[in-house]
Amino acid sequence: MKYAFVIIALVLSPASFGQYIHHIQLTNGTTVTHPVTEIDSISFSVTGVPVMYLNTGRSNSITHILSSIEKVTLSGIPEIEYPSGSVHCIEGGSEVVEVLNTVTGHIWMDRNLGASQVAVAPDDAAAYGDLYQWGRFSDGHQCRNSNTTTILSTMDAPPHGDFIVALSAPSDWRIPQNNNLWQGVGGVNNPCPSGFRIPTDAEWNWERLSWISNDIEGAFSSPLKLTPAGRRYGHSGELNNVGSGGRYWSSTAIISARRLRFDANCASINYNVRSGGYSIRCIKDVEESQGSIQFLDCDLASNVGSLQIDMAVSGTFSTIPYTGGNGGSYSAQSVASTGVQGLMATLPSGVFANGNGSLIYIIGGTPLSSGEASFEVNIGGQVCALNRSVSSATTNYPAGTVICSGIPTAIVEVFNPITGNTWMDRNLGASQAADASETEAAFGDLYQWGRFSDGHQCRNSPDTAALSTTNYPTFSNFILAPISPSDWRNSQNDSLWQGAVGINNPCPFGYRIPTSAEWNAEGLSWSSNNKEGALQSALKLPGAGRRSALSGGIKNTGALGAYWSSSVSGSSARAVGFANNNAYMSSQSRANGFSVRCIKNIAAEEGSIQWLNCDSALNNGTLLTGILASGVSSVIAYSGGDGGTYFGQSITSEGVPGLTATLASGEFAYGNGVLVFTITGTPVLSGSASFTVNIGGQVCQFDRMVDAEAPAYPNGTMHCTATPTQIVEVANPATGKSWMDRNLGATQMAASSTDEPAYGDLYQWGRFGDGHQCRTSPVTTNLSITDTPTSGEFIIAPSSPGDWRNSQNNNLWQGGNGINNPCPSGFRIPTEAEWNEEISSWSNSSIEAAFLSPLRFAAAGRRYSHSGELGSVGLAGRYWSSTISGSLARRVRIDSGCTDMGSHNRASGFTVRCIKE
């Protein structure tokens, strides 16, 4: 057995000889020498194979020496063995050499499983290693040249070493799936050597966050020296991305499995099908030592949240400092309260710091009386008493208010001296003011616009698809509204939440929902126009996330803030949002669940202006006969504003019936300003629609033209929805380019990255809008020999080059007049260069940044070229460019971690967003 490190200690008796031991010879030829005089011990430090014999350099036998030696001790690390039955693609398997990441504290193998050496460069092929299917053992399938089979396995251990391709969902080599493979060092099929295991997705994420850059360079520059070893496709077994991208499995799985992905542009942790062949890097399974501390100070505990009699506890915890931690682990514990009964302080398991640290005890239960609740904490060899006060006080909220946490939100005022406004210092439903954007106890509840605190705002409330016909639903469910106008109420009511005595005002007495103008004033007072500025403001706004009107799912907690105003905008309502890089006011679907921050009600003076200029109105969007207006507004300038308030108003059109111009309530500027009227409805005629504006003591009339015909799509276009995609232009001021504001086939501009009506159709590269792009179109395996297939079926192409057309035609989609251009007149498919310019203008490369860009991109998913099945819907987006790359075409990929430009099979079904010529 090999040893990584050997110490040989010869302890001699007092009556030892006075000669020298000239050398100790190892079987591999290594020799070490040490003189022996009249001393008690000799120590040799050597490496190699354990000593087989001692050679004293004397003619007498080795027994003479051993008779004078009391003991010989050998210490070291034995050779680490691979599991029995492992098939190695290189002789002997990968050598096991450990490497430590000092930032994360994790120990790993220094090379990929199957690699013959640690990487010396990102493109070091000898360091690429094998490519495993998720959950499989080292049975030979992982070898890059292994045979493929389409026969799925019904067992955890297939009886062969073939790479199993999976042509249909859920794209797993095993049927049925088994989520319990690769779980821990003793997990089923763990291919790592003894003492090592597959890392979790959390462990991969910690590694990724420690890199100098989120790309190939950062991966290779890390202590692990990760290489872009490529992958094998789960549907074909073909190699791909070798030298240009890395895919590394984690042990985490639900339906798909989690993996680390990186390439030249970005790195991310996300899901992929288990039949894919990816790299493995093994992490050491470190056994934690029992922890201890020297001092525990309950008297200095930091307490968050409040406790009230007969109220269920939520968002309440205590942080207890300690000193003298030894870095060992401690077990989870729950401590029942004394004094006041009914409470429990719970500590999850963890690891003590080396030195000083703190323990967080989460308080739960319902206190049965007021007074002092005491918890006796006994941990790490130390004992102290944690005390929490229980109050009998209540706060003054409207009758019938449902409190999600059991404890009404404390009413603590905070004043912004810049705006002169007084607010509550925390979100409605929060148990504390925010000390960080990610402080969960400061998030609070998520309200649908205009609804009362009936329980729907609780983050764990159930959802329903049943819309309400009244202002007061008979249930407390979160109401899903996936269809325009995406409101929980049918029909809509614009008069909810208007003022302190407004219908359904959920704020405590004396407070109300702020207007959009009040939010804008707050935003202008922030130190920076982003999440950091929101937190550092007087209001200390956290990134409390949002709840989707489409699915009821909660998203972006800690990363994004979305706060309602009382102002409406057409069928939507106005809200302020902020993320890492920007803050903005926008119109949002009223069925979304956003945070509420209440402002103190102070009577405002009715405002006036000196001049209103309708003749110079700035008109946005177009109006078409018989087409529902969307994205249409008129901006009217005024002068001589006195800073007073004005009420919202809706003006019916004259000349052309069917339209309404709506102005949300707000405040006039001091001096010059503008009013934004949103135009909604469906014009029944062509011609000039007139709107008479009467506000602030001034009257004027503005006109909007209604065109007789909609802009034409190419003849023969088949639309998957009842009406053609509406053509509303949107410009990116950073690039100067104009685009359609929605995907081809979408019924609206995206209100969120998971807004289903905004997903649109999925086109095969170069094909016309012949019906194949509809998400439910049937599939066929018959390739087309012309540019215009004879049917609207989705043509699957499981074999290379993966194109729906045989032979290929590189001249499709080239320009506005290009063959098969599916865009409306004056628009075309963007080039790769135009996509790159667009992406470079975003705040970052995440899917959230893609949505927050002027083009409002959604995670519309894809259709697989080998099966026609949908994938990644709501999780990622794939958008075609007109640019080709060999037998492939260039596309943009947008997912939770990053956005990149790459090449893909032309038979894949991806989204199309048209750019103006």
Side-chain angles (χ1 to χ4, degrees), residues 101 104-108 182 184 197-211 224 249-252 260 269 281-286 288:
N101 186 338
T104 65
H106 292 143
I107 298 172
W108 300 69
W182 282 5
R197 57 174 171 79
I198 309 292
T200 64
D201 65 340
E203 288 166 333
W204 267 129
N205 207 36
W206 292 334
E207 290 298 317
R208 182 180 66 88
L209 293 174
S210 74
W211 300 351
L224 274 61
W249 280 127
S250 81
S251 61
T252 306
L260 166 71
I269 308 291
R281 180 64 68 90
C282 300
I283 193 171
K284 192 169 187 179
D285 195 65
V286 180
E288 297 175 339

Side-chain angles (χ1 to χ4, degrees), residues 311-312 395 397 400-409 429 445 453 455 457-458:
M311 293 289 185
T395 51
Y397 282 82
T401 296
V402 174
I403 307 297
C404 301
S405 66
I407 302 174
T409 307
D445 304 327
S453 302
Q457 77 277 12
C458 304

Side-chain angles (χ1 to χ4, degrees), residues 474-693:
T474 56
F475 46 79
S476 60
N477 298 56
F478 187 91
I479 300 175
L480 305 180
I483 301 174
S484 181
S486 193
D487 196 338
W488 57 272
R489 193 189 192 287
N490 185 21
S491 61
Q492 293 188 289
N493 185 353
D494 294 345
S495 300
L496 307 175
W497 280 6
Q498 305 305 315
V501 294
I503 303 170
N504 285 348
N505 176 28
C507 297
F509 295 137
Y511 288 81
R512 57 174 171 80
I513 308 293
T515 65
S516 61
E518 288 165 334
W519 269 125
N520 277 328
E522 288 298 318
L524 292 174
S525 74
W526 298 354
S527 60
S528 58
N529 192 45
N530 53 20
K531 186 172 75 171
E532 183 180 357
L535 179 67
Q536 293 177 350
S537 71
L539 274 61
K540 295 195 176 304
L541 300 166
R546 59 191 176 91
R547 195 168 178 183
S548 169
L550 302 181
S551 66
I554 296 176
K555 303 180 178 182
N556 308 115
T557 51
L560 178 143
Y563 288 75
W564 282 126
S565 79
S566 61
S567 304
V568 297
S569 175
S571 63
S572 303
R574 300 289 282 172
V576 63
F578 53 81
N580 283 331
N581 295 290
N582 64 339
Y584 51 92
M585 179 68 70
S586 63
S587 298
Q588 297 287 334
S589 300
R590 301 184 192 182
N592 284 321
F594 290 170
S595 300
V596 164
R597 180 65 69 92
C598 300
I599 191 170
K600 195 166 187 178
N601 190 48
I602 300 174
E605 297 181 1
E606 188 172 351
S608 65
I609 53 178
Q610 296 178 358
W611 185 62
L612 188 65
N613 188 6
C614 284
D615 294 334
S616 302
L618 175 63
N619 296 322
N620 299 310
T622 56
L623 294 169
L624 308 170
T625 304
I627 301 297
L628 181 68
S630 177
V632 182
S633 64
S634 291
V635 182
I636 303 175
Y638 64 83
S639 61
D642 66 352
T645 63
Y646 57 83
F647 294 105
Q649 56 182 256
S650 295
I651 308 168
T652 302
S653 61
E654 300 174 356
V656 174
L659 296 171
T660 302
T662 302
L663 173 72
S665 59
E667 295 177 349
F668 291 119
Y670 288 98
N672 300 336
V674 295
L675 303 172
V676 180
F677 285 84
T678 302
I679 314 297
T680 57
T682 302
V684 298
L685 303 171
S686 61
S688 179
S690 299
F691 303 88
T692 301
V693 179

Side-chain angles (χ1 to χ4, degrees), residues 108-348:
W108 300 69
M109 285 179 63
D110 75 338
R111 63 200 70 192
N112 293 348
L113 217 53
S116 59
Q117 65 181 48
V118 64
V120 296
D123 58 353
D124 182 0
Y128 286 165
D130 303 329
L131 297 174
Y132 284 76
Q133 296 184 295
W134 189 91
R136 283 190 72 174
F137 186 59
S138 303
D139 54 13
H141 84 280
Q142 77 276 13
C143 303
R144 290 177 176 246
N145 59 354
S146 64
N147 296 325
T148 62
T149 179
T150 59
I151 301 173
L152 303 186
S153 176
T154 59
M155 303 180 295
D156 296 333
H160 55 75
D162 293 341
F163 188 93
I164 302 174
V165 299
L167 300 179
S168 58
S171 296
D172 196 338
W173 58 270
R174 193 191 193 288
I175 184 170
Q177 294 186 291
N178 184 354
N179 294 337
N180 297 316
L181 309 174
W182 282 5
Q183 307 305 314
V185 70
V188 182
N189 286 349
N190 176 27
C192 296
S194 59
F196 287 80
R197 57 174 171 79
I198 309 292
T200 64
D201 65 340
E203 288 166 333
W204 267 129
N205 207 36
W206 292 334
E207 290 298 317
R208 182 180 66 88
L209 293 174
S210 74
W211 300 351
I212 60 172
S213 59
N214 200 42
D215 51 22
I216 282 179
E217 181 182 356
F220 175 70
S221 299
S222 74
L224 274 61
K225 296 202 174 300
L226 299 167
T227 57
R231 61 173 173 165
R232 275 181 96 171
Y233 283 125
H235 63 273
S236 66
E238 294 178 348
L239 289 170
N240 184 260
N241 299 119
V242 179
S244 63
R247 307 288 191 276
Y248 286 74
W249 280 127
S250 81
S251 61
T252 306
I254 303 177
I255 296 176
S256 300
R258 299 280 282 178
R259 55 95 164 112
L260 166 71
R261 167 193 168 274
F262 60 82
D263 57 22
N265 298 303
C266 59
S268 62
I269 308 291
N270 47 30
Y271 288 98
N272 218 297
V273 295
R274 303 185 193 181
S275 58
Y278 293 165
S279 301
I280 284 182
R281 180 64 68 90
C282 300
I283 193 171
K284 192 169 187 179
D285 195 65
V286 180
E287 191 173 324
E288 297 175 339
S289 59
Q290 190 63 33
S292 66
I293 53 179
Q294 294 178 357
F295 180 63
L296 187 66
D297 196 347
C298 286
D299 293 335
L300 294 179
S302 172
N303 298 321
V304 172
S306 57
L307 300 170
Q308 292 187 356
I309 183 174
D310 295 328
M311 293 289 185
V313 179
S314 178
T316 302
F317 57 91
S318 295
T319 304
I320 307 174
Y322 64 81
T323 61
N326 70 342
S329 63
Y330 54 84
S331 301
Q333 59 178 242
S334 295
V335 185
S337 61
T338 58
V340 172
Q341 303 292 318
L343 296 171
M344 188 75 71
T346 302
L347 174 74

Side-chain angles (χ1 to χ4, degrees), residues 756-781:
E756 189 171 348
Y759 288 165
D761 303 329
L762 297 173
Y763 284 76
Q764 295 185 295
W765 188 91
R767 283 190 73 174
F768 185 61
D770 56 10
H772 83 280
Q773 76 276 13
C774 303
R775 290 175 176 249
T776 56
S777 65
V779 300
T780 180
T781 57

Side-chain angles (χ1 to χ4, degrees), residues 829-854:
I829 309 293
T831 65
E832 175 183 5
E834 287 165 334
W835 269 118
N836 281 330
E837 186 179 11
E838 189 65 30
I839 294 167
S840 65
S841 74
W842 301 350
S843 58
N844 58 59
S845 61
S846 69
I847 199 166
E848 193 62 38
F851 167 68
L852 294 175
S853 74

